[in-house]
Amino acid sequence: MNQYEELADQYGTPLYVYDLDRVAEARHDLRTSLPDEVEIYYALKANPHPQVAGALRSGEGRECRAEISSVGELAAALTAGFRASEILYTGPGKTDGELDEAIGKGVKTFCVESLTDLQHVGAVALRHGVVADCLLRINSATASATTSIRMTGTPSQFGIDSETLVDAMPELRAVPGTRITGLHFFPLSNARDEASLIGEFRHTIAYAAGLAEETGLTLEFLDIGGGFAHPYGAPGERPVYRELRTELAAALDEHFPHWREGAPRIAVETGRYQTSGAGTLLTRVVNIKVSRGRKFVVIDAGINTFGGMSGLGRLLPVAVEPEYTGSAEATELTDVASLAGPLCTPGDILGREIRLPELAPGDLVTIPNAGAYGVTASLLMFLGRPAPVEVVLKGGKVVSASRLEHHRTPATPG
């Protein structure tokens, strides 16, 4: 019996297993692929588990900082040991209540998506007697990469349209309670390859330099976004970026000759790259059925457990790497079936017509590279099923086991 089988027997399924040693390896790989001066922000939306996030905060090289977009993520970041004064708060719909809590707890830096968003931040900052440092998120009119998941260049709730920035700057600069300290870009996610990632970063750096010159904005902080790739819910290895460090430094030298002295500070953001490979989802086969010639393997993990980033609008089928107990006797992928979850909806499919071994009820199936966008990006409360247990390993030993709970509490007006 291997360790996954032992954990599944002990804690039940579905079950997430996170390996902190693999988190540390991913942190090391990203840190060494970037110039030493570049700051890394971990996007807690990828996996807000405090022990996972905490393993990313400290380690070899300079500390990683946190990027959040809710007070729930703020609580997780503070629990993980991140300092509030170094957290970047983002998102297009910050409410007064959320801003009041964040600023009250010491968050100083906000990414703003519009003039009104900036005004909301400023109004709350004034009530607290502080001035908030604000990055203007830019929705660029142009981009470099033509593949990957585009995050810019179209009408969007995210960012200020770059072509309007020059005219908008006087009003943006005049918002009380705020100080515009830099620019924030996030043009793509999950770059196809290293050349695409480098091309996008080069384009962003040049574009930012041009905007700063056009607007007369002295950049103290430039966040060039992310795009670091990783397989998701399918077998595969984390890419190693061998040219990025040199190419990124060259682009920054060309457009911001004093960046190594912190003028401006340069930052990147990452989520799945540092966490996806550290997580595995364990699930058991509940039932096997054939319908009009098609086989369905029904498991106890569905889109409520592994939603394929359904919470982010990306419902993706997955491939699996089988591990099993029970009656399965061979590892050959000799069967073709759809992998279905247990929910009462035809959308609860984790893989359509994929190759599997011959499975039987009770067999264990593992979904690899599931450490990002798992529990909290899934339809967790749908049909009222309990959340999966999350087990954390370090050095091969269990250091914690916990489960998120959802329950109804009384609400008061106001």
Side-chain angles (χ1 to χ4, degrees), residues 55-69:
L56 290 169
R57 179 183 63 82
S58 59
E60 183 180 346
R62 65 193 305 174
E63 284 193 350
C64 181
R65 300 183 177 190
E67 181 267 314
I68 65 171
S69 56

Side-chain angles (χ1 to χ4, degrees), residues 174-255:
V175 174
T178 67
R179 190 172 71 95
I180 299 174
T181 58
L183 301 176
H184 179 200
F185 294 80
F186 203 98
L188 86 165
S189 177
N190 206 37
R192 179 187 62 180
D193 51 33
E194 185 174 19
S196 298
L197 184 64
I198 290 171
E200 198 64 57
F201 279 151
R202 278 191 163 277
H203 178 271
T204 295
I205 291 165
Y207 203 85
L211 281 180
E213 184 175 354
E214 283 186 81
T215 59
L217 177 64
T218 300
L219 292 184
E220 299 176 25
F221 189 172
L222 175 61
D223 184 337
I224 61 175
F228 306 98
H230 200 292
Y232 172 67
E237 297 299 319
R238 181 178 62 254
V240 176
Y241 298 115
R242 304 186 187 283
E243 306 297 328
L244 180 59
R245 182 185 181 99
T246 299
E247 293 289 338
L248 189 54
L252 289 166
D253 285 340
E254 179 181 355
H255 296 284

Side-chain angles (χ1 to χ4, degrees), residues 85-411:
S85 60
E86 297 179 345
I87 288 173
L88 174 62
Y89 200 118
T90 69
K94 311 174 194 73
T95 67
D96 283 356
E98 291 166 340
L99 289 169
D100 189 70
E101 183 169 346
I103 292 173
K105 289 184 175 178
V107 177
K108 298 179 178 180
T109 307
F110 296 84
C111 165
V112 297
E113 316 276 356
S114 62
L115 172 62
T116 50
D117 191 22
L118 181 65
Q119 290 169 338
H120 288 153
V121 173
V124 177
L126 286 175
R127 291 204 297 270
H128 283 264
V130 300
V131 175
D133 290 340
C134 294
L135 308 179
L136 303 178
R137 179 164 175 173
I138 303 301
N139 183 3
S140 304
T142 61
S144 171
T146 57
T147 59
S148 311
I149 301 173
R150 299 263 13 118
M151 301 287 288
T152 192
T154 60
S156 174
Q157 72 269 42
F158 300 112
I160 300 168
D161 295 343
S162 57
E163 64 272 23
T164 70
L165 187 60
V166 172
D167 291 340
M169 277 303 296
E171 200 169 4
L172 292 165
R173 290 179 188 273
V175 174
T178 67
R179 190 172 71 95
I180 299 174
T181 58
L183 301 176
H184 179 200
F185 294 80
F186 203 98
L188 86 165
S189 177
N190 206 37
R192 179 187 62 180
D193 51 33
E194 185 174 19
S196 298
L197 184 64
I198 290 171
E200 198 64 57
F201 279 151
R202 278 191 163 277
H203 178 271
T204 295
I205 291 165
Y207 203 85
L211 281 180
E213 184 175 354
E214 283 186 81
T215 59
L217 177 64
T218 300
L219 292 184
E220 299 176 25
F221 189 172
L222 175 61
D223 184 337
I224 61 175
F228 306 98
H230 200 292
Y232 172 67
E237 297 299 319
R238 181 178 62 254
V240 176
Y241 298 115
R242 304 186 187 283
E243 306 297 328
L244 180 59
R245 182 185 181 99
T246 299
E247 293 289 338
L248 189 54
L252 289 166
D253 285 340
E254 179 181 355
H255 296 284
F256 296 101
H258 301 291
W259 70 277
R260 296 178 190 274
E261 293 82 51
R265 290 165 48 204
I266 305 297
V268 298
E269 298 172 35
T270 177
R272 70 155 69 189
Y273 185 85
Q274 297 197 89
T275 58
S276 185
T280 303
L281 172 60
L282 310 184
T283 174
R284 286 200 186 276
V285 177
V286 176
N287 191 25
I288 308 281
K289 68 162 292 187
V290 176
S291 175
R292 296 193 169 99
R294 289 180 56 192
K295 181 179 282 192
F296 291 83
V297 175
V298 183
I299 56 176
D300 59 13
I303 56 176
N304 60 318
T305 300
F306 187 67
M309 296 191 285
S310 58
L312 306 182
R314 305 174 200 158
L315 189 60
L316 304 179
V318 299
V320 298
E321 179 181 282
E323 299 252 357
Y324 45 82
T325 59
S327 62
E329 296 177 351
T331 59
E332 289 81 5
L333 305 182
T334 57
D335 204 5
V336 175
S338 291
L339 200 62
L343 306 183
C344 297
T345 170
D348 193 17
I349 300 290
L350 297 188
R352 296 185 187 275
E353 299 293 296
I354 60 177
R355 299 195 67 82
L356 295 167
E358 289 284 345
L359 294 169
D363 286 346
L364 188 67
V365 173
T366 75
I367 298 179
N369 290 322
Y373 304 115
V375 176
T376 56
S378 301
L379 304 179
L380 188 59
M381 293 184 67
F382 188 48
L383 293 183
R385 287 178 173 266
V389 172
E390 296 172 276
V391 168
V392 178
L393 306 178
K394 186 171 184 180
K397 304 294 184 182
V398 174
V399 295
S400 76
S402 60
R403 187 201 306 270
L404 289 172
E405 297 287 351
H406 41 264
H407 57 276
R408 193 176 299 276
T409 58

Side-chain angles (χ1 to χ4, degrees), residues 1 4-13 15 284 325:
M1 181 179 288
Y4 285 159
E5 292 167 334
E6 292 174 354
L7 291 172
D9 285 347
Q10 184 175 359
Y11 295 101
T13 58
L15 174 69
R284 286 200 186 276
T325 59

